[in-house]
Amino acid sequence: MTKLLEKILETDPLQIPELRRVIDQIIDDNIAIPGATMVILNELQSQIGYITPAMQAYTAKRLNVPLGAIHGVVTFYSFFCTQPRGKHIVKFCMGTACYVGGMQQLIDKAKQVTGTDVGNTTEDGLITLEVCRCVGACSQAPVIVVDDEVLGRVKPNKFPQVLKKLQE
Ligand code: FES
């Protein structure tokens, strides 16, 4: 087993007793109700903050459903994530207006100044970069969403300022 894989498995919530108890409690409390899969995944996301592949496999086993069914739900809904997210989430709108309005250049700048890629979190755990669908502010393209705040007309040279605010 590679060192990275070992580390990933060691730090999985299933291996941390207090988190394991939370996971089991969520499953035990909801396993018998209609629509248990969705309820349990929602609770895992809310209480643990993410649903790792190991947690997906464990949930599938406990619910006696195919792993593909759990994985399909987790990957379909953007609400779910499979790894810990940063303290702040920066989402880049990939709708048509924003894309045409220069989103790719903005993303390139963000990757450069944060040193991380879209879908990942900075090493200090502060910022996660993600993409999202149109947020309905197309006239303000290109648009990003910082935590819950929608920011419009964010040109690449403005991104360092956005970042600085988050780092304060
Ligand atoms: S396309 Fe980005 S807000 Fe609509």
Side-chain angles (χ1 to χ4, degrees):
M1 203 183 311
T2 66
K3 286 231 176 303
L4 179 61
L5 187 56
E6 266 175 36
K7 184 157 172 41
I8 288 170
L9 291 176
E10 267 171 27
T11 56
D12 192 278
L14 282 170
Q15 304 303 323
I16 301 167
E18 53 271 36
L19 294 181
R20 172 68 174 252
R21 272 194 291 280
V22 173
I23 293 167
D24 279 330
Q25 190 69 55
I26 290 170
I27 295 174
D28 292 343
D29 286 351
N30 297 291
I31 197 165
I33 66 170
T37 300
M38 206 58 190
V39 173
I40 288 168
L41 292 176
N42 268 311
E43 283 300 313
L44 290 173
Q45 177 65 44
S46 302
Q47 294 191 40
I48 305 291
Y50 53 102
I51 308 173
T52 62
M55 289 165 65
Q56 293 172 40
Y58 181 70
T59 305
K61 195 169 165 217
R62 292 281 321 270
L63 296 183
N64 199 22
V65 298
L67 174 57
I70 300 289
H71 182 70
V73 172
V74 170
T75 51
F76 182 78
Y77 294 101
S78 59
F79 166 72
F80 297 116
C81 51
T82 57
Q83 55 188 0
R85 294 162 108 198
K87 187 171 175 211
H88 300 288
I89 313 293
V90 179
K91 293 182 188 160
F92 300 88
C93 174
M94 294 304 281
T96 307
C98 288
Y99 192 79
V100 172
M103 185 52 78
Q104 191 55 55
Q105 292 90 317
L106 180 55
I107 289 175
D108 289 344
K109 183 70 177 182
K111 281 160 62 170
Q112 181 208 329
V113 295
T114 60
T116 194
D117 210 341
V118 172
N120 289 333
T121 301
T122 52
E123 274 184 14
D124 60 4
L126 191 64
I127 292 161
T128 298
L129 304 182
E130 295 181 352
V131 293
C132 64
R133 300 197 182 113
C134 174
V135 295
C138 314
S139 63
Q140 305 281 308
V143 169
I144 63 174
V145 183
V146 179
D147 298 325
D148 286 330
E149 191 184 359
V150 175
L151 301 178
R153 298 199 176 93
V154 184
K155 297 295 179 191
N157 63 355
K158 291 272 173 65
F159 191 81
Q161 279 170 252
V162 173
L163 188 63
K164 198 156 178 255
K165 262 190 159 180
L166 297 177
Q167 287 167 331
E168 276 166 6

